[in-house]
Amino acid sequence: MSNQNLGRLEIICGPMFSGKTTELIRRIESARELGFTTLAIKPTTDTRYAQQELVTHTGQRIQASEALNAAEIITRVGELRISNHIQIIAIDEAHFFGEELSKVCATLVSEGSRVIVVGLEFDHRGDVFEPFPSLFPLSNDTTRLVGVCALCGNKAIHTQRLIANSQRIVVGGVGDYQPRCAKCFAPSQ
Ligand SMILES: [Zn+2]
């Protein structure tokens, strides 16, 4: 199985609390059961829960390496490739890595890895988050998850920020954000 060319890009996107990390962990675990080697990566800036782990809001967890920026993902993969061929690379919270991530994904896919990218498609203003606009054309399989609108119960595609902060990226959890449908979503300033 080690020399099999798996080269493909999968995207899992949606608002907060739509089950993105849960879906990612499910794909990683089923790949592992089939004997594939996997590497999960998350941005260093995400300090919400445990370091070196992907953790869902419901407490599921899986081991992860950290990368400061998109270029460092290549470094992390390279370090492990010396001793082990990494077949599946999962990147969580992709919106932290910006546009640069699309080039990194293209490189990893061309090297034969199955790359799974997870993140928020829209920011707190309702604008599309890089790297998704540049990733979508490269994707072989895109899964758009929806949440349940916290106000009306309809399908939520947006993440409503409940705390006052003008920064585009703020790390938070339950209580700081809500899933909202397009009607109930009020873009932050
Ligand atoms: Zn609503």
Side-chain angles (χ1 to χ4, degrees):
M1 226 182 266
S2 62
N3 293 320
Q4 203 177 329
N5 188 329
L6 301 167
R8 60 188 261 114
L9 175 67
E10 294 167 33
I11 296 175
I12 303 168
C13 59
M16 285 180 75
F17 315 111
S18 61
K20 298 185 299 298
T21 306
T22 304
E23 172 61 18
L24 177 63
I25 290 176
R26 192 186 67 77
R27 290 189 198 183
I28 293 172
E29 284 180 342
S30 43
R32 283 184 184 166
E33 279 167 23
L34 291 168
F36 291 104
T37 52
T38 65
L39 170 66
I41 289 177
K42 64 176 203 171
T44 305
T45 40
D46 184 1
T47 55
R48 271 179 301 182
Y49 306 102
Q51 298 287 312
Q52 314 281 14
E53 281 183 328
L54 301 186
V55 183
T56 68
H57 295 289
T58 54
Q60 267 185 292
R61 52 189 67 222
I62 208 162
Q63 250 205 321
S65 294
E66 293 189 350
L68 257 177
N69 50 50
E72 221 177 82
I73 294 173
I74 299 279
T75 312
R76 290 286 97 80
V77 172
E79 286 165 358
L80 279 164
R81 273 220 176 108
I82 296 165
S83 55
N84 202 348
H85 182 68
I86 305 301
Q87 295 162 312
I88 297 164
I89 299 157
I91 302 163
D92 200 16
E93 305 285 355
H95 48 281
F96 282 85
F97 291 115
E99 196 183 347
E100 205 196 344
L101 184 66
S102 59
K103 282 187 209 124
V104 166
C105 289
T107 302
L108 296 172
V109 168
S110 72
E111 289 170 358
S113 293
R114 175 182 166 199
V115 180
I116 311 172
V117 172
V118 180
L120 295 178
E121 184 179 359
F122 298 111
D123 69 7
H124 64 289
R125 293 182 298 251
D127 295 333
V128 180
F129 243 135
E130 283 294 351
F132 289 97
S134 29
L135 275 179
F136 287 135
L138 309 174
S139 173
N140 301 97
D141 179 322
T142 299
T143 302
R144 278 196 169 86
L145 294 175
V146 292
V148 177
C149 176
L151 298 188
C152 75
N154 281 331
K155 284 181 183 176
I157 59 162
H158 289 291
T159 304
Q160 181 72 50
R161 187 177 285 178
L162 304 173
I163 44 172
N165 193 318
S166 62
Q167 283 187 311
R168 199 168 190 207
I169 289 177
V170 177
V171 176
V174 179
D176 300 331
Y177 294 93
Q178 267 181 354
R180 294 260 183 108
C181 72
K183 232 175 169 181
C184 297
F185 175 68
S188 327
Q189 298 310 307

